[in-house]
Amino acid sequence: EVQLVESGGGEVQPGGSLRLSCAISGFTFNNYAIGWFRQAPGDRQEGISCISGGDGGTSYTDSMKGRSTISSDNALNTVYLQMNNLKPEDTGVYYCALYQDCWLAQQSFYGALERRGSGTLVTVSS
């Protein structure tokens, strides 16, 4: 069974950092891509970043470009999203999701996902 489980969310002050984790199981990561997107209360989903399981290639949208880094530890079947210089507008639920590839993810982070986790809440507040 395909599963993605996010962790690492929490409350942080503006300017702070968080590292989110996505534990994946039930599929061969080398054949797919994993992306992160978020949803703030009352807003649409917003893509953040994607990493290819095959070659480790990464892509970012403008939403957190320069403030986020996506990485993976294939041995641990875990994908990470390091987020720095967090701002109040970064508050929301963050999801990791499975994609055929990052090109499809970039077209629509929500429409192209094949499976997603239940999300982890990030709150940026002073």
Side-chain angles (χ1 to χ4, degrees):
E1 180 186 1
V2 173
Q3 286 192 322
L4 301 95
V5 180
E6 303 93 337
S7 62
E11 186 166 354
V12 63
Q13 293 187 339
S17 298
L18 282 175
R19 188 177 78 158
L20 307 183
S21 299
C22 175
I24 60 178
S25 60
F27 61 96
T28 303
F29 180 36
N30 280 353
N31 298 334
Y32 295 93
I34 298 292
W36 287 93
F37 68 93
R38 66 186 180 184
Q39 187 167 21
D43 283 353
R44 297 178 61 182
Q45 298 87 5
E46 182 177 43
I48 301 170
S49 182
C50 185
I51 185 166
S52 170
D55 61 10
T58 60
S59 59
Y60 296 86
T61 68
D62 290 336
S63 63
M64 295 192 76
K65 203 167 190 176
R67 299 188 295 123
S68 65
T69 303
I70 192 169
S71 63
S72 68
D73 186 330
N74 289 28
L76 294 179
N77 287 328
T78 302
V79 173
Y80 303 99
L81 183 68
Q82 176 69 42
M83 305 185 296
N84 301 318
N85 191 22
L86 285 162
K87 305 175 182 180
E89 52 264 41
D90 294 319
T91 294
V93 180
Y94 285 67
Y95 300 89
C96 62
L98 172 68
Y99 301 90
Q100 284 292 325
D101 56 54
C102 284
W103 184 86
L104 281 173
Q106 291 285 86
Q107 307 313 303
S108 173
F109 270 83
Y110 189 72
L113 70 85
E114 299 200 356
R115 194 71 62 89
R116 65 168 175 84
S118 58
T120 185
L121 177 63
V122 172
T123 303
V124 186
S125 172
S126 55

